[in-house]
């Protein structure tokens, strides 16, 4: 059951984050690709990467995953949880600024943070502090 929760959480978080790029040394995709390389090569070699298909394949073979792969999946999920928490914090702290300066900007692909960056002189001190806090982590 633990594996299933981790896999489900990983899949959900990957879908939620989409193309988010974080300032991590190695991202969640790379963690799973490295930690589960044997399983991917053995069980999922014919799977077209993208849209969570490789994770779904690993989930189908959850009873055959090595400890290394299980840890990689857990580590990637934890990294994604931290990213979601940071994004939620930023969204909450900067919501008034986003509404005031970026309401016409389509979310995704870094457009909102670019908008905030372009309006940094006008952005509230609360939002500026949140950006500093998140960038330290």
């Amino acid at each position: 059951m633990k594996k299933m929760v981790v896999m489900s959480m990983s899949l959900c978080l990957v879908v939620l984050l989409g193309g988010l790029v974080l300032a991590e040394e190695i991202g969640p995709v790379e963690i799973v690709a490295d930690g589960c390389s044997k399983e991917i090569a053995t069980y999922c070699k014919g799977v077209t990467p993208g849209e969570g298909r490789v994770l779904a394949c690993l989930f189908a073979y959850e009873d055959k995953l090595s400890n290394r792969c299980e840890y990689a999946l857990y580590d990637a999920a934890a990294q994604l949880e931290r990213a979601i928490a940071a994004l939620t914090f930023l969204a909450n702290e900067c919501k008034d600024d986003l509404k005031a300066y970026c309401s016409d900007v389509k979310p995704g692909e870094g457009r909102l943070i670019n908008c905030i960056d372009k309006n940094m002189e006008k952005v509230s001190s609360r939002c500026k502090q949140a950006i500093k806090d998140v960038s330290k982590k």
Side-chain angles (χ1 to χ4, degrees), residues 4-136:
M4 189 166 108
V5 170
V6 170
M7 292 292 289
S8 298
M9 183 171 40
S10 299
L11 183 58
C12 289
L13 291 173
V14 168
V15 169
L16 285 172
L17 287 176
L20 178 69
V21 177
L22 301 171
E24 299 276 350
E25 283 187 33
I26 180 170
V29 173
E30 292 83 9
I31 289 170
V32 172
D34 181 53
C36 299
S37 60
K38 290 179 185 176
E39 288 84 349
I40 293 169
T42 302
Y43 307 117
C44 308
K45 62 184 168 202
V47 174
T48 303
E51 299 180 11
R53 287 185 287 268
V54 174
L55 283 175
C57 175
L58 291 172
F59 180 71
Y61 291 95
E62 70 177 306
D63 60 323
K64 297 180 182 349
L65 300 181
S66 67
N67 287 338
R68 180 176 184 207
C69 182
E70 286 181 19
Y71 179 78
L73 290 165
Y74 175 80
D75 193 26
Q79 192 177 102
L80 290 169
E81 277 187 283
R82 288 190 301 275
I84 295 257
L87 288 173
T88 301
F89 174 69
L90 276 176
N92 286 333
E93 296 300 300
C94 298
K95 69 180 172 188
D96 293 335
D97 299 293
L98 287 166
K99 186 182 261 185
Y101 308 116
C102 307
S103 60
D104 60 337
V105 175
K106 181 181 175 186
E109 299 178 2
R111 287 186 284 266
L112 288 175
I113 196 66
N114 286 339
C115 177
I116 289 291
D117 193 43
K118 287 177 187 173
N119 291 286
M120 194 56 77
E121 291 179 15
K122 300 182 269 185
V123 169
S124 68
S125 57
R126 179 179 178 167
C127 181
K128 287 178 185 175
Q129 185 61 49
I131 293 168
K132 286 180 188 176
D133 291 346
V134 168
S135 67
K136 290 177 189 176

